[in-house]
């Protein structure tokens, strides 16, 4: 059986000239070639093995975006480890759950976080190392303890992996507040990278403007793996900055981002049609893009953003076509090799064209299941291989898929998933709070904004500042943009809170 290790598959597609740059215009002044990728990922893998990482061991990482962090990801793949990226906004209290659940062999964090996270790592039985942003004019110690263990030179034979072996675990929150670890295999990642490379017509001549975080499917897998599969290049920005995006766009050919990127670019006076004239592709995902944003982008640039649909559990499922009509408000067609069907949410029976129901997906991109949650896996992954996404949608007579809503009240704010139950449970524990409901309402910049509607206890008058102060243990993207107070939450005859009524009431909060 051919080696299915994702790194090995991608390396077969690297450019014939190893001196070709993969990272162009690095902010720290360095150049980085495909030869560097091979050599440095080998050194990273060697260091991981020296720290006890064996095939199948988890390597948890919460560090700032850097070339070294990306090489750590590739080194983990080469060593046969399972990469576990964690949002840099997560607090120690949140990290504790992930480490306890995944039981990683190694946890790599930022140097400035080591003191707070050391007891968390120790409790989970993980070795703690640190990794900072590399600066050419500083010694290795300033870049963290992990780089000090990376040899100056090393050869490494990439560990063979089977298609079903795990390559990564990515945590996605559940509506009960307990996060689920989506087990992603080498085949899941490899098939999706090669499909996207072909479908979006990437070649070695492409240069991707990359400003996404790399603890996320979009930035780490969809963007970076696709570029590696094409043997292409990236302009690697540590974070989104409209001025820097505009400064580097003349050297780029493509861009991937979330709707927030596009709204902020459109608000910049130097973002013009002339600036984007040479760009061949703009891709948006991780959250729905408003039709208004699509139309503004077309008016300014003459180009149409390509919107697609993916999930933590499945990578990319559908895409508007590269050639042909890209229709705002839709997420296009199923990708080659991927099946999408619409079913009755209650019975699972297939629905007909145009009917609204549950979106289900099947294909080589669909994950293996939830880490140590067989019952949850059985609930959401059918015996026939279809994954029940939790998204409500429809397929029109031309085959375009549209997402019309989300079950379980998931909020996607700025490209990040926010599950209301987790935020509500934190609010309901605060002094003076009787109950709460957390909803998402339209926001021009974030797609959706988190809003908390709070019912005070009788005789109490909590303030919005007090509520926000009590949520400091939650990541910033989960914290409400507004806190509203009400005497009672709307309920149906069965006593269930009617969140649709709340969303309808406050839908113009940020756009009206």
């Amino acid at each position: 059986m051919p080696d299915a290790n994702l790194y090995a598959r991608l390396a077969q597609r690297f450019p014939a000239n190893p001196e070709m740059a993969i990272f162009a215009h690095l902010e720290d002044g360095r150049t980085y070639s495909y030869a560097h990728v091979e050599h440095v990922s080998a050194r990273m893998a060697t260091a991981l093995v020296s720290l006890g990482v064996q095939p199948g061991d988890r390597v948890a990482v919460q560090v700032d975006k850097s070339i070294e962090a990306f090489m750590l990801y590739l080194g983990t793949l080469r060593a046969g480890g399972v990469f576990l990226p964690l949002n840099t906004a997560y607090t120690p209290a949140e990290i504790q759950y992930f480490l306890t659940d995944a039981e990683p062999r190694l946890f790599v964090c930022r140097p400035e976080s080591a003191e707070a996270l050391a007891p968390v790592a120790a409790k989970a039985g993980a070795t703690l190392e640190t990794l900072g942003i590399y600066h050419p004019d500083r010694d290795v110690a300033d870049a963290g303890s992990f780089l000090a263990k990376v040899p100056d030179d090393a050869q490494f034979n990439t560990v063979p992996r089977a298609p079903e072996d795990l390559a990564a675990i990515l945590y996605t929150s559940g509506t009960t507040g307990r996060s689920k670890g989506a087990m992603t295999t080498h085949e899941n990642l490899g098939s999706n990278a090669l499909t996207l490379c072909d479908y979006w017509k990437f070649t070695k001549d492409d240069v991707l403007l990359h400003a996404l975080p790399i603890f996320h499917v979009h930035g780490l897998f969809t963007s970076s793996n696709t570029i590696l599969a094409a043997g292409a290049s990236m302009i690697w920005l540590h974070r989104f900055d409209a001025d820097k995006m505009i400064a580097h766009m003349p050297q780029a050919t493509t861009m991937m981002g979330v709707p927030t990127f596009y709204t902020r670019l459109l608000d910049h006076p130097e973002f013009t049609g002339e600036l984007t004239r040479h760009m061949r592709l703009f891709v948006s995902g991780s959250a729905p893009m408003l039709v208004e944003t699509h139309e503004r982008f077309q008016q300014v640039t003459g180009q149409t953003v390509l919107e697609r649909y993916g999930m933590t559990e499945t990578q990319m499922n559908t895409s508007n076509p590269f050639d042909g009509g890209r229709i705002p408000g839709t997420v296009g067609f199923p990708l080659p090799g991927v099946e999408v069907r619409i079913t009755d949410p209650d019975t699972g029976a297939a629905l007909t064209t145009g009917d609204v129901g549950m979106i289900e997906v099947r294909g080589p991109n669909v994950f293996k299941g939830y880490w140590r949650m067989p019952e949850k896996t059985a609930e959401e992954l059918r015996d026939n291989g279809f994954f029940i996404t939790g998204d409500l949608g429809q397929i029109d007579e031309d085959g375009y898929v549209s997402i019309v809503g989300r079950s379980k009240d998931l909020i996607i704010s700025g490209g990040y998933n926010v599950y209301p139950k987790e935020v509500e449970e934190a609010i309901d524990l605060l002094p003076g709070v009787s109950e709460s409901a957390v909803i998402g309402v339209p926001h021009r910049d974030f797609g959706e904004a988190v809003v908390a509607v709070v019912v005070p206890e009788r005789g109490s008058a909590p303030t919005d500042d007090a509520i926000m102060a009590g949520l400091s243990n939650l990541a910033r993207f989960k914290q409400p943009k507004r806190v509203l107070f009400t005497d009672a939450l709307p309920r149906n005859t069965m006593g269930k809170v009617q969140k649709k009524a709340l969303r309808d009431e406050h839908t113009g909060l940020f756009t009206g």
Side-chain angles (χ1 to χ4, degrees):
M1 178 184 295
D3 184 8
N5 187 299
L6 176 63
Y7 181 86
R9 293 181 70 182
L10 295 176
Q12 291 176 352
R13 300 169 67 97
F14 287 179
N17 177 11
E19 299 308 315
M20 176 180 161
I22 179 173
F23 296 109
H25 307 285
L26 284 171
E27 291 181 89
D28 59 23
R30 288 181 291 167
T31 59
Y32 220 91
S33 69
Y34 273 88
H36 285 112
V37 170
E38 174 65 24
H39 297 152
V40 177
S41 64
R43 292 164 54 199
M44 291 281 184
T46 301
L48 291 171
V49 171
S50 74
L51 289 165
V53 174
Q54 300 177 24
D57 283 345
R58 278 73 63 203
V59 176
V61 177
Q62 189 196 34
V63 298
D64 293 315
K65 181 180 179 181
S66 68
I67 300 299
E68 286 68 34
F70 188 65
M71 292 302 106
L72 177 57
Y73 158 61
L74 296 181
T76 302
L77 294 176
R78 295 191 69 176
V82 180
F83 196 71
L84 200 169
L86 295 169
N87 193 319
T88 53
Y90 285 147
T91 65
E94 291 167 312
I95 292 293
Q96 181 171 316
Y97 169 76
F98 301 126
L99 299 194
T100 303
D101 188 59
E103 295 185 301
R105 172 80 64 175
L106 177 68
F107 175 42
V108 183
C109 71
R110 292 171 287 200
E112 61 270 25
S113 304
E115 184 177 354
L117 291 172
V120 177
K123 184 175 181 180
T127 299
L128 180 68
E129 298 288 346
T130 60
L131 179 66
I133 298 292
Y134 173 85
H135 294 278
D137 58 346
R138 296 183 187 173
D139 61 31
V140 172
D142 288 318
S145 64
F146 181 74
L147 287 186
K149 294 177 172 61
V150 174
D152 292 335
D153 196 16
Q155 302 294 318
F156 190 88
N157 293 322
T158 300
V159 175
R161 296 275 82 190
E164 67 274 13
D165 285 336
L166 296 189
I169 295 176
L170 288 91
Y171 276 88
T172 177
S173 297
T175 54
T176 62
R178 186 184 175 195
S179 296
K180 301 171 291 184
M183 299 187 292
T184 304
T185 69
H186 284 267
E187 173 61 18
N188 295 153
L189 296 180
S191 65
N192 218 228
L194 299 185
T195 296
L196 294 176
C197 180
D198 293 340
Y199 198 79
W200 291 339
K201 300 189 177 181
F202 274 88
T203 73
K204 63 180 178 59
D205 297 321
D206 273 306
V207 180
L208 175 72
L209 190 53
H210 192 304
L212 292 159
I214 57 171
F215 50 73
H216 192 274
V217 165
H218 196 170
L220 184 61
F221 299 149
T222 307
S223 300
S224 305
N225 287 348
T226 301
I227 289 298
L228 290 171
S233 303
M234 291 183 271
I235 296 172
W236 188 262
L237 302 180
H238 291 145
R239 62 184 61 84
F240 177 85
D241 180 298
D243 289 335
K244 290 182 179 179
M245 297 287 282
I246 286 170
H248 287 291
M249 200 164 286
Q251 290 81 46
T253 64
T254 60
M255 172 185 152
M256 296 186 198
V258 298
T260 303
F261 286 13
Y262 292 98
T263 59
R264 292 182 180 177
L265 285 172
L266 286 166
D267 287 341
H268 198 290
E270 295 179 27
F271 188 74
T272 64
E274 180 60 27
L275 178 72
T276 63
R277 183 173 52 83
H278 67 289
M279 295 284 286
R280 72 169 191 87
L281 180 64
F282 290 94
V283 178
S284 181
S286 297
M289 178 177 279
L290 298 177
V291 172
E292 171 200 350
T293 305
H294 272 285
E295 292 174 346
R296 286 182 64 207
F297 195 87
Q298 265 185 324
Q299 291 167 2
V300 170
T301 69
Q303 300 195 45
T304 304
V305 174
L306 186 153
E307 198 165 8
R308 83 303 181 278
Y309 166 52
M311 302 182 69
T312 300
E313 291 93 339
T314 62
Q315 315 307 301
M316 295 306 106
N317 300 312
T318 73
S319 171
N320 271 274
F322 182 84
D323 296 312
R326 301 177 191 172
I327 302 180
T330 79
V331 290
F333 306 106
L335 289 168
V338 177
E339 299 173 72
V340 175
R341 69 179 187 179
I342 307 298
T343 63
D344 184 297
D346 296 322
T347 67
L351 299 178
T352 58
T353 298
D355 288 341
V356 173
M358 183 67 68
I359 298 175
E360 298 189 11
V361 179
R362 180 168 67 182
N365 56 314
V366 174
F367 76 137
K368 192 172 183 176
Y370 293 113
W371 175 257
R372 293 177 176 170
M373 287 187 175
E375 293 181 358
K376 194 65 180 174
T377 298
E379 287 176 14
E380 301 188 18
L381 201 54
R382 298 189 186 278
D383 291 340
N384 61 7
F386 273 99
F387 172 62
I388 304 169
T389 66
D391 290 323
L392 301 175
Q394 61 188 157
I395 302 176
D396 69 17
E397 59 185 13
D398 295 320
Y400 284 87
V401 179
S402 297
I403 301 170
V404 300
R406 289 185 295 278
S407 65
K408 306 175 186 176
D409 297 314
L410 170 68
I411 301 166
I412 302 180
S413 184
Y416 299 134
N417 290 356
V418 180
Y419 289 82
K421 186 70 174 177
E422 180 184 13
V423 185
E424 290 164 356
E425 287 178 345
I427 293 173
D428 293 348
L429 292 174
L430 299 177
V433 173
S434 173
E435 62 176 342
S436 65
V438 171
I439 58 173
V441 301
H443 191 287
R444 181 173 169 275
D445 203 11
F446 293 97
E448 286 184 307
V450 179
V451 173
V453 183
V454 176
V455 178
E457 290 180 342
R458 182 172 297 180
S460 295
T463 65
D464 52 357
D465 287 342
I467 299 295
M468 293 302 298
L471 300 179
S472 60
N473 277 339
L474 293 180
R476 288 291 298 274
F477 67 86
K478 299 178 185 177
Q479 296 176 16
K481 294 284 187 292
R482 288 283 299 274
V483 177
L484 308 175
F485 294 91
T486 185
D487 292 333
L489 298 174
R491 283 182 157 81
N492 63 13
T493 55
M494 299 299 291
K496 183 179 179 180
V497 174
Q498 298 298 283
K499 288 193 173 180
K500 183 179 184 303
L502 288 174
R503 285 192 292 267
D504 291 345
E505 180 181 354
H506 301 297
T507 189
L509 197 61
F510 298 99
T511 58

